[in-house]
Amino acid sequence: MSTPSPVTTLTGLTAAELPGAPELAPRFPLTPNPAPASAADLDAVMGHLAFGVAHTDHMARARWTPEGGWHDRRTEAYGTLTLSPAAAVLHYGQEIFEGLKAYRHADGSVWTFRPGFNAARFNASGRRLAMPELPEEDFVASLAALVAADDRWVPGVEGSSLYLRPFMFASEAFLGVRSAHEFEYLVIASPVGPYFVNGFEPVAIWVAQDYHRVGPGGMGAAKTGGNYAASLLPQHEAYDKGFEQVCFLDAVTGTHLEELGGMNVFVVDADGTVRTPALSGTILEGGTRAAILQLLRDQGRAVREEDIDLAGLLEQLRSGKVAEVFACGTAAVITPIGRLAGEGFDVTVADGRPGATTTELYTALTDIHYGRREDPHDWMYRLV
Ligand SMILES: *Cc1c(COP(=O)(O)O)cnc(C)c1O
């Protein structure tokens, strides 16, 4: 059968190719929030960091119309949006998003990881959903403007960060089915604590055999809310069975692993080879995935991007040929998988403990994020 979706490997502008944040931020001029959070409110938030609960004082935004292109770029008080009930996004789901983090380094400066990659991915997602592209420099400028305005919301505690959520949606009030003629782009931010509250702990994964999140020619390679909507019921059912996350299989044969609802997946063989599903058009190309592949290649490790057959993997886990399985994404960076189960099987991975390669990669990536280790690929971009 043919493969209709093109496989892309995103690059985007490197930190060295991008203008500095002080040069870019003024593209989204700031109107300061007249009623910012008080020092006491801020202390209360920082004292109990949770994912996506508290939002900062500001948001960056811009509008797109066919006549004006992108315009009205600004940074203003965080607040509710006014939207027509006929706004296309509410009916047809024309929406894309991104997720990045701003990390506070020991010297007080604030950095983010490969924003050019996320900018390029945002545009790739936009193309699939027939949405206008945002120049990569504008994408990075919006992050620079927001983090400069909300610098005090970037936590400094070990393992914490400011989560950045850029998104775009069809705001045009029109019920006809076609790509909208009006779009809103926004960036909001939320301070987050370390993902693993009880340390680096393996999770239990349910492999869905009766649901798929995407199919060939669908939106699997785009970061869009619709793919998440498709994953919520399987996620809920897995949770009820006592599992933390779902791993989806390819929709054509139902035989090989694709990814979790919002994380890519890796397998480490006992001989040290590392494998991850190839970008087939039905997998979202993660920035964490790309960085892990690069770090492993830098070390001369054997790395393979190929189909990972579920039946084969279960056999290799039982025989000890596969030593580690982990998932990765910006939110948790790396999540060790300690148990893989589905209809008719239930296998413990590496005695349910994080493996050596999983732990090394986690340390390497987080050390780069927090400026504790050299950054040979120019991944970190200074925001403040
Ligand atoms: C965002 C996302 C990932 C992880 O991408 P990162 O760039 O590493 O954060 C993986 N899978 C899906 C479906 C995603 O939406």
Side-chain angles (χ1 to χ4, degrees):
M1 89 154 269
S2 69
T3 315
S5 307
V7 177
T8 59
T9 299
L10 299 163
T11 47
L13 297 171
T14 65
E17 288 163 347
L18 284 162
E23 190 181 325
L24 287 181
R27 292 191 188 188
F28 286 76
L30 173 66
T31 303
N33 185 335
S38 68
D41 287 347
L42 190 62
D43 280 352
V45 169
M46 294 300 196
H48 300 276
L49 290 172
F51 186 86
V53 178
H55 302 288
T56 61
D57 292 320
H58 298 93
M59 56 190 186
R61 65 192 299 183
R63 273 188 74 216
W64 184 91
T65 54
E67 313 77 51
W70 286 109
H71 61 281
D72 208 7
R73 295 172 184 79
R74 61 201 194 275
T75 305
E76 61 186 24
Y78 178 91
T80 10
L81 302 176
T82 305
L83 206 61
S84 162
V89 65
L90 301 177
H91 305 276
Y92 310 125
Q94 201 180 10
E95 183 267 357
I96 56 171
F97 68 95
E98 270 304 324
L100 308 87
K101 283 174 166 176
Y103 304 94
R104 172 90 60 200
H105 286 189
D107 65 359
S109 58
V110 179
W111 301 68
T112 191
F113 184 74
R114 299 185 75 190
F117 175 93
N118 293 80
R121 187 169 69 186
F122 195 61
N123 284 336
S125 300
R127 284 192 293 274
R128 178 62 185 84
L129 277 94
M131 297 166 81
E133 294 191 27
L134 180 70
E136 284 183 31
E137 286 189 3
D138 273 355
F139 180 93
V140 178
S142 66
L143 309 179
L146 180 59
V147 175
D150 286 333
D151 182 17
R152 67 186 188 128
W153 288 86
V154 184
V157 181
E158 167 85 33
S160 65
S161 59
L162 183 68
Y163 184 78
L164 304 172
R165 168 51 60 85
F167 60 105
M168 191 206 302
F169 63 87
S171 52
E172 186 189 6
F174 176 61
L175 293 182
V177 180
R178 56 149 170 76
S179 179
H181 292 169
E182 262 180 46
F183 293 91
E184 287 273 344
Y185 168 75
L186 287 105
V187 192
I188 58 174
S190 174
V192 297
Y195 195 84
F196 298 100
V197 200
N198 305 312
F200 194 50
E201 264 184 54
V203 298
I205 299 290
W206 179 260
V207 180
Q209 285 152 299
D210 42 358
Y211 294 111
H212 296 285
R213 59 182 282 282
V214 301
M219 305 191 295
K223 206 167 177 73
T224 176
N227 292 336
Y228 279 71
S231 75
L232 298 179
L233 177 63
Q235 170 68 42
H236 182 83
E237 291 183 5
Y239 193 78
D240 281 349
K241 294 188 187 88
F243 294 84
E244 275 113 328
Q245 297 261 344
V246 174
C247 181
F248 293 94
L249 300 173
D250 75 285
V252 176
T253 68
T255 58
H256 53 265
L257 307 190
E258 291 212 310
E259 60 170 319
L260 313 195
M263 280 192 268
N264 296 117
V265 65
F266 278 79
V267 167
V268 185
D269 292 338
D271 72 5
T273 304
V274 180
R275 295 181 282 142
T276 192
L279 300 173
S280 57
T282 49
I283 290 174
L284 195 279
E285 183 178 355
T288 319
R289 175 191 182 279
I292 287 169
L293 291 173
Q294 184 66 57
L295 289 175
L296 290 165
R297 286 179 178 132
D298 290 351
Q299 295 170 11
R301 291 277 293 261
V303 178
R304 298 217 303 260
E305 295 175 72
E306 62 184 23
D307 285 353
I308 297 177
D309 177 64
L310 173 64
L313 174 63
L314 295 175
E315 181 45 42
Q316 291 153 355
L317 280 166
R318 292 191 186 103
S319 72
K321 194 178 169 294
V322 165
E324 306 171 38
V325 183
F326 65 85
C328 66
T330 297
V333 186
I334 288 180
T335 306
I337 293 174
R339 184 180 165 203
L340 205 58
E343 231 37 85
F345 63 90
D346 192 340
V347 180
T348 300
V349 184
D351 300 328
R353 285 196 293 273
T357 299
T358 305
T359 308
E360 274 166 34
L361 286 167
Y362 177 79
T363 307
L365 272 175
T366 50
D367 279 355
I368 292 172
H369 292 159
Y370 291 97
R372 297 186 295 247
R373 185 181 290 224
E374 227 193 307
D375 172 23
H377 297 286
D378 208 10
W379 283 336
M380 301 307 292
Y381 177 82
R382 184 165 181 180
L383 290 170
V384 176

